[in-house]
Amino acid sequence: MKGFKGRDIISISDFSKQEILHVLDTAKNFENYRNPSLLKDKMLATLFFEPSTRTRMSFEAAMHFLGGRVIGFSDARLTSISKGESLWDSIRIVEGYSDVIVMRHPFEGSARLAAEAANIPIINGGDGANQHPTQTFLDLFTIYKSKGTIDKLKVGFLGDLKYGRTVHSLARALSLFGAEMYFISPAELRMPSDDIEHLKKEGIVFHEVEDLIGTCPKLDVLYTTRIQKERFPDAADYEKVKGVYRVDNSMLKHVKPELKILHPLPRVDELSPEIDNSPHAVYFEQAANGVPVRAALLALVLGVAE
Amino acid sequence: MKELKVTAIENGSVIDHIPTDNTFNVIGILKLDRHDDTILIATNLPSKKLGKKGIVKVSGRQLTKDEANKIALVAPDATINIIKDFEIVEKLKASLPKQLVNVSKCFNPNCITNRDSVVPKLCVESARPLRLRCEYCERSMTQKDIQLV
């Protein structure tokens, strides 16, 4: 296993099974953990070239709980980027002010470029439609906590499997843990061929289906996603598929008692609020898990946890 | 006596067994449009292996192994003969390297390499069939997605 000190967190594909498990074990130690001296004198820079609430706030909360400080921006229009500064230059400038950088950027590959530019760790908070590795770590952590394992589970992915980057990354990560996967979506929103090829190459058992009710009784975990209106080039295509699936009390009649339902949030109408208090729903815990997982990643890359 | 369809060169390189449709892509990869010595280009020549092939003869430039490897992107069967005083002094075989730097753009318009001033880097996942992966945005590309820099 590679050491974590000074390491960039760019793509879930950069991590082995053993390394993923190490992050999850470390995150467990950071649950409800407050230690104002652990990251004392450490500075996190949050560069959000695109809007974010959960990712940015949970990183900030994690840093504050561990005694660190935060600088940054969440509107690139107010920065030198609006004057035409390259990303490379922006990163070189900001690394002079901080010990670690979390960045969200609209262009795919921007996080990898930032990591090349910087001598301090870069954590990818989402690069376009490509990767959002800290979300994948917290999704895995939620499964790990709620199921007691992430090995050999039957996992359903529901909704927008074409544009949903959280789905692509989680499926890749779960392929390391022998999951059997069910991709439940309208034909227009199936998993990209790249990801399907990868699963085939890895010998993963998976099924592409459209029927939620017929599939849900088999599942240990259901990962639900919003059908993202903003990703559709044509509004008419969105209208055809919006609201096609709904996870509600009537669906829960068909599932295993121990099924856990995750959702990266925000939700629209695919996840009925009537199931929020059901033992199946773990999506608010999932959002809260962002703090211990991101605290663990900050502590690991800053070298205060091993 | 065998008829030569293109004249022999005294010093330089002869690139043979290029798929005929990719002959001008080889010119592009080697940036021969900026070369100021003689270049002989033949396309649609009969070939047992390829059906039709192209040949490029470049006077005054001896290709390196790295350049031969870049040609493999569009001409995986290409052979390169290095000529000195009308004699072949070295034979190179095109073979794709593990990484292609500044040879082809990433085909993803939303990739940072197409938005900022960044040298594209592609990792060769498979030579046949050709499968490249952008080292930045992680998208996979095939032969049809290649856009030479």
Side-chain angles (χ1 to χ4, degrees):
Chain A
M1 188 171 75
K2 280 193 217 164
F4 276 86
K5 187 179 178 182
R7 191 162 171 183
D8 304 303
I9 311 288
I10 305 300
S11 167
I12 199 71
S13 313
D14 297 338
F15 296 89
S16 67
K17 179 177 177 177
Q18 193 190 8
E19 288 168 336
I20 290 172
L21 287 171
H22 183 65
V23 171
L24 305 188
D25 285 337
T26 309
K28 213 159 176 21
N29 298 331
F30 278 91
E31 279 191 288
N32 304 311
Y33 182 79
R34 308 282 185 272
N35 181 345
S37 62
L38 195 70
L39 294 181
K40 190 169 175 283
D41 302 327
K42 297 289 185 191
M43 182 67 81
L44 164 68
T46 57
L47 312 187
F48 280 79
F49 295 85
E50 269 196 330
S52 158
T53 44
R54 274 166 296 274
T55 304
R56 184 172 58 82
M57 288 178 70
S58 58
F59 265 114
E60 289 183 2
M63 199 66 186
H64 288 305
F65 283 141
L66 302 181
R69 292 168 187 238
V70 183
I71 54 170
F73 60 82
S74 53
D75 187 344
R77 285 174 301 179
L78 306 176
T79 70
S80 293
I81 289 99
S82 62
K83 299 174 193 163
E85 184 173 72
S86 69
L87 177 62
W88 183 279
D89 283 359
S90 300
I91 295 294
R92 292 301 305 271
I93 303 290
V94 174
E95 74 169 334
Y97 309 152
S98 53
D99 301 294
V100 56
I101 293 173
V102 175
M103 185 181 85
R104 171 169 292 181
H105 196 281
F107 299 144
E108 286 119 46
S110 53
R112 191 76 70 188
L113 179 71
E116 280 184 7
N119 290 309
I120 62 172
I122 299 287
I123 301 178
N124 183 5
D127 59 330
N130 185 32
Q131 285 278 330
H132 190 2
T134 65
Q135 177 71 43
T136 309
F137 278 120
L138 79 86
D139 292 341
L140 292 166
F141 185 63
T142 305
I143 295 172
Y144 190 44
K145 264 181 70 184
S146 62
K147 300 297 298 178
T149 180
I150 39 179
D151 273 317
K152 297 187 170 54
L153 294 169
K154 290 187 194 307
V155 181
F157 294 87
L158 177 70
D160 179 359
L161 310 186
K162 181 176 180 184
Y163 298 108
R165 66 183 169 195
T166 60
V167 169
H168 309 157
S169 300
L170 184 58
R172 291 225 172 192
L174 285 171
S175 71
L176 299 172
F177 294 90
E180 181 173 345
M181 303 187 210
Y182 293 80
F183 299 115
I184 312 158
S185 74
E188 298 89 334
L189 293 176
R190 278 191 186 159
M191 286 287 276
S193 56
D194 254 23
D195 294 274
I196 292 296
E197 286 306 314
H198 174 79
L199 295 174
K200 282 182 185 168
K201 201 170 129 194
E202 297 296 312
I204 302 301
V205 179
F206 68 90
H207 317 268
E208 292 186 280
V209 296
E210 292 188 34
D211 174 20
L212 171 62
I213 299 300
T215 307
C216 70
K218 301 169 186 162
L219 304 176
D220 302 311
V221 173
L222 177 62
Y223 192 88
T224 314
T225 61
R226 174 172 66 99
I227 294 182
Q228 305 170 86
K229 188 178 182 181
E230 65 275 19
R231 301 276 186 204
F232 281 77
D234 186 342
D237 290 341
Y238 171 72
E239 292 299 321
K240 269 192 260 174
V241 292
K242 74 167 190 182
V244 66
Y245 297 114
R246 188 168 167 83
V247 177
D248 55 16
N249 277 335
S250 66
M251 190 212 90
L252 292 185
K253 288 177 192 157
H254 305 275
V255 304
K256 289 180 189 172
E258 60 276 15
L259 171 78
K260 298 298 176 193
I261 299 171
L262 283 77
H263 191 302
L265 303 176
R267 61 178 159 185
V268 188
D269 50 7
E270 66 281 0
L271 200 55
S272 169
E274 70 187 18
I275 70 160
D276 285 358
N277 293 323
S278 113
H280 300 289
V282 292
Y283 32 88
F284 289 118
E285 286 169 58
Q286 182 187 358
N289 286 337
V291 176
V293 167
R294 288 170 175 136
L297 289 167
L298 287 168
L300 284 165
V301 300
L302 289 170
V304 299
E306 286 186 359
Chain B
M1 187 180 149
K2 192 175 170 186
E3 183 190 357
L4 283 174
K5 291 200 174 173
V6 279
T7 319
I9 58 172
E10 184 176 353
N11 291 299
S13 308
V14 177
I15 308 155
D16 199 353
H17 302 109
I18 305 168
T20 198
D21 291 344
N22 280 334
T23 310
F24 288 92
N25 285 331
V26 169
I27 305 287
I29 286 177
L30 297 174
K31 300 192 171 32
L32 292 176
D33 52 334
R34 297 174 206 165
H35 187 66
D36 57 8
D37 207 334
T38 307
I39 302 169
L40 300 165
I41 302 166
T43 60
N44 294 323
L45 297 171
S47 162
K48 280 182 190 162
K49 192 169 180 184
L50 301 170
K52 286 180 178 179
K53 69 172 183 178
I55 293 181
V56 176
K57 297 190 174 193
V58 190
S59 286
R61 178 161 160 192
Q62 298 192 349
L63 297 190
T64 63
K65 182 70 184 154
D66 277 354
E67 288 173 320
N69 289 346
K70 283 184 185 176
I71 293 171
L73 186 64
V74 293
D77 297 309
T79 56
I80 296 100
N81 290 338
I82 307 298
I83 312 291
K84 207 169 178 183
D85 298 329
F86 294 106
E87 297 292 327
I88 297 171
V89 293
E90 190 180 0
K91 291 187 175 205
L92 302 173
K93 181 89 184 77
S95 164
L96 267 180
K98 286 184 180 165
Q99 188 193 43
L100 294 165
V101 179
N102 210 20
V103 177
S104 169
K105 291 180 185 177
C106 173
F107 81 127
N108 172 12
N110 211 36
C111 177
I112 189 73
T113 57
N114 290 318
R115 299 290 190 144
D116 228 339
S117 170
V118 184
V119 172
K121 292 180 195 165
L122 301 170
C123 161
V124 178
E125 291 191 320
S126 153
R128 294 177 200 224
L130 184 68
R131 198 172 172 86
L132 309 171
R133 186 171 50 79
C134 173
E135 293 194 3
Y136 292 96
C137 78
E138 305 184 18
R139 294 282 178 88
S140 287
M141 296 168 54
T142 59
Q143 186 82 48
K144 68 178 175 18
D145 304 316
I146 290 171
Q147 301 168 49
L148 295 175
V149 172

